[in-house]
Amino acid sequence: MMDFEDIRGESKGTVSYPKRIEFEETLKMSTYSLAFVVDRFETLSGCATVPVYDQDGNIVQGKTMSTPIAVHSGPGRGEEARFVLKMTIASWEFFTNQFRTNNPLKKLDVVSIENLPVLGSENWGIITLITHFMLVNSSTSFSRIQRIARLVCHEVVHQWFGNLVTMRWWNHLWIKEGMARYLEYVAIESLFPSWNFWAYFLRDIFKSTIEMDESTTTHPIEAKVRSPKEISHIFDLMSYGKGASVARMIAFHIGEESFWKGVHLFLKRFQYNCASTEDLYQCFDQVSGKEISSVMQDWVQRSGHPVLSVSLDSGNVSSLTLKQEICFRNECGPVFLHSKKVKTVSTLGESSGTCYRVPIVIAGLIQGNSFQKEIIFSDSYQQINTPNLSNDDYLILNYRHSGFYRVCYDEQLLERLENAIKEDRVSLVELYGLVLDMFSLSFFREVAMANKCYETLPYYPKIDRLFEFIDRITQNCASAHVSSPIMQPIFWELVTKKLTEIWFIIEPDFLPHYKRWVASILSKIVNRIGLWKPIQEKKNSELKVEYAIEDKEIAWKEIRGKMLILLSACDAFSEDLKKEIMTQFNSAFNENNNNITTSDQTMVILQLGAQIGGFAAFQKLLETVESGTNVELRKASFIAMFASRDLTSLDIIFSNLTKEPEASFEPELSWLDEIVSQHTLKWNAEGRRHLWEKTVSHTLSNDRNLSPHILGMVYVSGDASALSVSDKQNFLQQLERMNHSISAIGFDRVFRPVVSNARENGVWARKNRSELESFFRNR
């Protein structure tokens, strides 16, 4: 990095003379990782110091290697880049020591780019980050800090995986992107152990990846790339997420020590060169003595993943029965293959047998002692012998949820797991993975039945058993220790999200019962953690140096609001709580409101206040939108207005959306998008119906069309909750009339998915009617 004055040419009078600058010869590199950046920056500098390692990965005694590291941000923003500087130094030192391989770079720069088209890029020796993922200040949310930490670790890994060793061709993309995604979590778990980051891996990577692998958009990790235009298509969850999950499976299968030895051998053998998946596997084979190539090859060359069912043999508490099915996909969605003789060809052309070779670690507690057993499950059926299980013993099939597959348990094993969870014997990551699988497999029952998986169908949890499971494992949260897995914010984030998803598909006649049940679940944890706890913001000079969250409050702050909005929708607020909310709501609109930070907590308070405060609360929000000078507070107030149950208030909103003569403001289009993403209208049944009817009336009687953006907001919110049969028919008829009346460009993109969603609305609830009736009848 050179100062501008050092590169500017000389001027004599009116004549400018160019200046020749010669750079040092670059290291051998792939041409795609070359980058130059020219701008005005403010710079923070530091240095990473590591031991010197020889070719065998041994420390050379008495020698160290220092690598200058600098971060460059916009003028006046230098201090806000200090966290990125510390993360870059820490991750450089961590990976050097884990890989036992010194990176040959003489320096590393990290540069802030305002309009970078991606979050970050790993150019050789000069990492570029988009500006809002480079800067950290006192108002930066904890989730953003976590994401920045991950991003820095990811790009630093690439200085080895991607730059020092490059994939042979684009079908091997996962070697750099999947490995980097996995290793970023390994680094964060080591640098910030209080974050419990493997649970976040399940939330941010595993969940979305396995769901994509169950959809029609999936493809093998090693997708064929035949032309340059196909390259961008594989930069997706399969290369990154499933690639990371495969890397994690390998690490658990061969053990941590062998994994790092294999990585060192790979980097040593292929530095300044290109490598393939087989090259990586051979390195793991050599150091571990296990045949990684034969076990793991299917995981990168096939789509889909196994669904395993496990049962405790009747009358024999020392024998487990395992069965394997493949959750595949075709144009119609997930398909379960359950016969070993079946062959399948995907829409992408890969052909394979039914069964994967699945590395499994069975773990648990047997007769008071920890138990672990490693197997390779490669058939459709297998019996496993274990020591005799007593009544208090339990087993979990996917230890640390390290495998990329789903597991369903029979009733005996599930009850044992419930007891183990209540006694804090199951880790947070295992609890999170188990609950994630339970919700997904409950919804897969219909698919399994359609595919005639009759032998394993009883293990797929029915909806009433899923609800009972949530009931039982959360019943002690009022007295559980703060370190208990069921007392962790990320667990309750998952539960709240899943309960919300069911809310929007359950039939209206079940909704009152569902409200009472959800309120009973969430009230216990909200009463335990409290409503609002102010967090003392650090001064810029003290910015979150350690980011330890042993008290968990910093993480609770971001999930508490979601739980309160769901509780509010359940009509579970007491009068005292409503008064407290309105006190905080009114305090947001004092004369100093330009200094208010629009944190998650503030946005929740505004929405709850709009909901229970009537027209008076709406007026305060409207005044802020019309004349406020704080842009973020104006946006938050606009979004909150849609939570109002007051019909007069909603009429005012509609007149502004449709630009009537009395309109007093014009919202940004991006604000309308956030109403959809934050579900503001979804929770507001009265407001949603009122705005929908006004939208229909306006569209059918007015020559001026609403913009597709406004239509999209109303439609997407309008068909969100399940409809009764008669309401659904009326809704579909209105949609058809609207379709014939609207000529707005872009309307088709809105109309088609809304019609499809509306037709499917309530189908799930009707198919599960008997189970829902049984569950709510017994409460």
Side-chain angles (χ1 to χ4, degrees):
M1 183 65 63
M2 301 181 66
D3 188 88
F4 178 73
E5 297 299 328
D6 294 332
I7 63 174
R8 188 169 55 183
E10 295 181 3
S11 297
K12 293 182 179 180
T14 60
V15 180
S16 295
Y17 296 91
K19 183 175 183 178
R20 178 184 176 89
I21 299 173
E22 293 188 8
F23 294 90
E24 291 185 28
E25 185 175 337
T26 62
L27 297 168
K28 186 179 179 182
M29 60 188 290
S30 295
T31 53
Y32 76 83
S33 61
L34 178 67
F36 287 92
V37 179
V38 179
D39 205 342
R40 294 184 182 275
F41 294 108
E42 185 171 319
T43 299
L44 289 176
S45 300
C47 192
T49 302
V50 296
V52 173
Y53 292 95
D54 64 20
Q55 284 295 302
D56 296 323
N58 300 313
I59 293 177
V60 178
Q61 296 300 321
K63 289 189 177 182
T64 59
M65 180 176 180
S66 295
T67 304
I69 292 177
V71 295
H72 311 274
S73 54
R77 309 298 296 271
E79 276 302 309
E80 295 177 73
R82 189 165 295 279
F83 177 67
V84 166
L85 174 63
K86 291 183 176 183
M87 279 302 309
T88 306
I89 294 172
S91 57
W92 184 273
E93 293 175 347
F94 175 81
F95 290 123
T96 300
N97 292 326
Q98 293 301 125
F99 299 157
R100 305 184 78 81
T101 301
N102 296 102
N103 194 288
L105 287 175
K106 293 184 178 180
K107 69 180 181 67
L108 177 64
D109 292 298
V110 184
V111 184
S112 167
I113 304 292
E114 190 68 40
N115 296 311
L116 196 68
V118 292
L119 293 185
S121 183
E122 70 276 13
N123 312 292
W124 196 211
I126 181 168
I127 293 170
T128 52
L129 303 180
I130 194 167
T131 298
H132 59 276
F133 275 87
M134 174 92 160
L135 307 178
V136 174
N137 54 46
S138 59
S139 63
T140 305
S141 68
F142 178 59
S143 57
R144 173 61 62 87
I145 290 166
Q146 288 181 311
R147 187 64 186 91
I148 291 172
R150 273 183 51 204
L151 178 61
V152 171
C153 290
H154 185 95
E155 305 305 342
V156 170
V157 172
H158 278 319
Q159 303 306 312
W160 284 268
F161 277 90
N163 294 353
L164 186 61
V165 179
T166 304
M167 68 276 181
R168 183 165 297 167
W169 184 241
W170 295 102
N171 59 306
H172 303 296
L173 177 67
W174 83 277
I175 294 178
K176 82 180 190 79
E177 297 299 352
M179 287 292 288
R181 180 111 303 160
Y182 168 62
L183 291 170
E184 74 191 48
Y185 280 86
V186 174
I188 297 296
E189 181 72 10
S190 176
L191 297 173
F192 302 102
S194 66
W195 287 7
N196 294 313
F197 220 54
W198 286 117
Y200 288 90
F201 178 86
L202 295 188
R203 183 194 73 177
D204 298 330
I205 307 302
F206 177 89
K207 177 182 179 296
S208 53
T209 302
I210 201 166
E211 288 173 354
M212 179 179 171
D213 206 33
E214 293 159 349
S215 76
T216 57
T217 58
T218 190
H219 60 78
I221 292 175
E222 288 195 343
K224 290 182 173 61
V225 178
R226 301 178 180 87
S227 67
K229 66 180 181 181
E230 294 179 347
I231 294 173
S232 62
H233 298 166
I234 62 171
F235 279 82
D236 63 4
L237 282 171
M238 292 298 100
S239 297
Y240 285 74
K242 194 171 181 180
S245 299
V246 167
R248 188 165 180 247
M249 287 176 68
I250 292 172
F252 270 80
H253 179 49
I254 66 177
E256 185 177 350
E257 182 178 353
S258 292
F259 177 80
W260 291 120
K261 286 182 178 179
V263 167
H264 168 77
L265 179 60
F266 177 74
L267 295 173
K268 170 187 171 183
R269 184 174 290 174
F270 296 100
Q271 62 181 331
Y272 304 117
N273 213 326
C274 298
S276 67
T277 298
E278 188 58 34
D279 294 327
L280 180 62
Y281 283 169
Q282 286 177 1
C283 291
F284 287 133
D285 287 349
Q286 182 174 330
V287 300
S288 69
K290 296 183 178 181
E291 296 182 358
I292 300 301
S293 301
S294 60
V295 173
M296 301 305 300
Q297 197 64 20
D298 270 356
W299 294 88
V300 298
Q301 293 184 346
R302 293 172 58 181
S303 300
H305 53 268
V307 176
L308 309 181
S309 61
V310 55
S311 59
L312 193 61
D313 290 358
S314 178
N316 185 355
V317 291
S318 63
S319 179
L320 298 175
T321 298
L322 271 60
K323 296 177 182 177
Q324 177 182 170
E325 296 161 351
I326 306 303
C327 185
F328 205 71
R329 62 86 182 88
N330 59 19
E331 290 80 355
C332 300
V335 176
F336 287 105
L337 303 178
H338 56 93
S339 169
K340 190 179 179 183
K341 297 178 181 179
V342 173
K343 296 278 185 178
T344 183
V345 179
S346 82
T347 54
L348 293 171
E350 81 274 14
S351 176
S352 63
T354 305
C355 293
Y356 277 80
R357 300 192 69 186
V358 188
I360 296 175
V361 180
I362 303 171
L365 189 74
I366 299 181
Q367 299 175 10
N369 299 313
S370 296
F371 172 81
Q372 279 195 16
K373 187 181 183 77
E374 296 184 28
I375 65 168
I376 299 293
F377 181 28
S378 57
D379 213 330
S380 58
Y381 171 92
Q382 187 172 338
Q383 281 194 303
I384 306 294
N385 293 323
T386 67
N388 287 330
L389 273 68
S390 64
N391 291 335
D392 293 332
D393 296 341
Y394 76 95
L395 291 172
I396 194 160
L397 198 65
N398 195 354
Y399 174 63
R400 302 289 298 170
H401 217 78
S402 57
F404 191 76
Y405 48 81
R406 298 198 186 276
V407 181
C408 44
Y409 296 87
D410 75 348
E411 185 61 27
Q412 292 186 75
L413 291 171
L414 192 57
E415 287 181 358
R416 291 170 180 270
L417 280 171
E418 286 174 340
N419 293 331
I421 291 168
K422 289 188 286 186
E423 295 171 5
D424 291 342
R425 290 186 282 164
V426 174
S427 70
L428 172 61
V429 69
E430 288 164 346
L431 171 62
Y432 193 100
L434 179 61
V435 172
L436 195 61
D437 281 354
M438 286 281 287
F439 273 97
S440 297
L441 292 168
S442 177
F443 281 76
F444 276 165
R445 276 185 59 83
E446 296 170 27
V447 180
M449 186 178 297
N451 284 272
K452 301 179 181 179
C453 302
Y454 300 130
E455 289 187 7
T456 56
L457 186 62
Y459 305 143
Y460 286 75
K462 297 181 179 179
I463 191 63
D464 54 342
R465 185 63 181 95
L466 172 63
F467 287 176
E468 287 173 5
F469 177 77
I470 298 299
D471 240 350
R472 292 174 184 176
I473 66 174
T474 60
Q475 65 184 20
N476 296 331
C477 66
S479 58
H481 192 273
V482 291
S483 63
S484 168
I486 65 166
M487 285 300 298
Q488 304 312 304
I490 192 170
F491 165 71
W492 282 100
E493 182 184 52
L494 173 65
V495 171
T496 302
K497 179 178 176 62
K498 290 300 182 182
L499 294 180
T500 298
E501 289 174 0
I502 292 176
W503 178 291
F504 293 137
I505 60 174
I506 203 163
E507 280 192 300
D509 52 344
F510 287 120
L511 194 54
H513 306 288
Y514 187 70
K515 282 183 177 182
R516 287 192 291 272
W517 178 67
V518 170
S520 71
I521 296 292
L522 294 186
S523 294
K524 290 181 289 188
I525 187 65
V526 170
N527 290 338
R528 173 69 188 278
I529 65 174
L531 289 171
W532 314 109
K533 290 184 181 178
I535 297 176
Q536 184 176 1
E537 299 288 1
K538 298 178 185 288
K539 297 177 182 178
N540 283 346
S541 59
E542 304 172 338
L543 278 179
K544 303 180 178 75
V545 177
E546 299 299 335
Y547 294 96
I549 53 167
E550 278 77 6
D551 64 357
K552 299 294 185 292
E553 178 52 32
I554 193 170
W556 276 122
K557 180 180 179 182
E558 297 191 7
I559 179 58
R560 185 187 278 109
K562 297 174 184 177
M563 293 192 292
L564 285 173
I565 287 177
L566 184 50
L567 274 172
S568 173
C570 294
D571 303 319
F573 283 177
S574 65
E575 290 303 315
D576 288 341
L577 177 54
K578 290 179 181 178
K579 289 179 181 178
E580 182 180 346
I581 288 171
M582 291 312 301
T583 297
Q584 296 201 39
F585 176 86
N586 290 324
S587 70
F589 298 97
N590 56 37
E591 59 185 11
N592 298 317
N593 64 2
N594 285 336
N595 298 321
I596 293 176
T597 59
T598 51
S599 63
D600 291 343
Q601 180 169 306
T602 303
M603 296 188 75
V604 169
I605 284 293
L606 294 181
Q607 290 184 36
L608 294 178
Q611 175 186 325
I612 63 181
F615 186 69
F618 175 81
Q619 282 185 305
K620 291 191 174 184
L621 294 167
L622 181 60
E623 289 170 5
T624 303
V625 173
E626 290 175 338
S627 57
T629 56
N630 183 325
V631 176
E632 288 300 313
L633 191 60
R634 286 185 65 225
K635 181 176 78 170
S637 298
F638 174 77
I639 294 169
M641 290 194 319
F642 285 83
S644 176
R645 271 56 170 172
D646 180 73
L647 300 187
T648 301
S649 303
L650 294 168
D651 288 342
I652 294 174
I653 293 175
F654 192 80
S655 68
N656 281 278
L657 290 178
T658 54
K659 300 180 181 179
E660 299 295 340
E662 63 270 24
S664 58
F665 66 89
E666 184 173 351
E668 300 284 343
L669 294 181
S670 61
W671 296 3
L672 297 172
D673 290 336
E674 293 212 26
I675 291 168
V676 175
S677 65
Q678 294 191 29
H679 308 312
T680 314
L681 261 182
K682 284 186 179 182
W683 291 120
N684 187 358
E686 300 94 329
R688 187 176 64 243
R689 294 190 193 101
H690 186 71
L691 284 177
W692 170 249
E693 293 299 331
K694 289 187 72 67
T695 300
V696 173
S697 175
H698 176 93
T699 303
L700 298 180
S701 62
N702 199 314
D703 291 335
R704 292 184 297 115
N705 284 328
L706 295 175
S707 75
H709 223 86
I710 295 173
L711 289 168
M713 180 204 66
V714 177
Y715 287 159
V716 172
S717 300
D719 77 328
S721 63
L723 305 168
S724 65
V725 174
S726 59
D727 287 344
K728 185 165 92 167
Q729 291 174 344
N730 182 50
F731 183 69
L732 287 169
Q733 288 172 357
Q734 289 176 325
L735 282 173
E736 290 294 345
R737 292 171 63 197
M738 297 274 278
N739 188 37
H740 292 303
S741 302
I742 293 175
S743 58
I745 295 173
F747 175 68
D748 281 349
R749 292 198 305 272
V750 174
F751 177 75
R752 287 194 299 270
V754 170
V755 170
S756 176
N757 290 341
R759 285 180 175 149
E760 291 298 317
N761 231 325
V763 171
W764 172 86
R766 286 190 288 278
K767 288 184 177 180
N768 289 274
R769 171 171 286 276
S770 60
E771 288 81 9
L772 290 169
E773 288 177 342
S774 173
F775 178 77
F776 293 126
R777 183 172 58 246
N778 294 329
R779 293 189 60 76

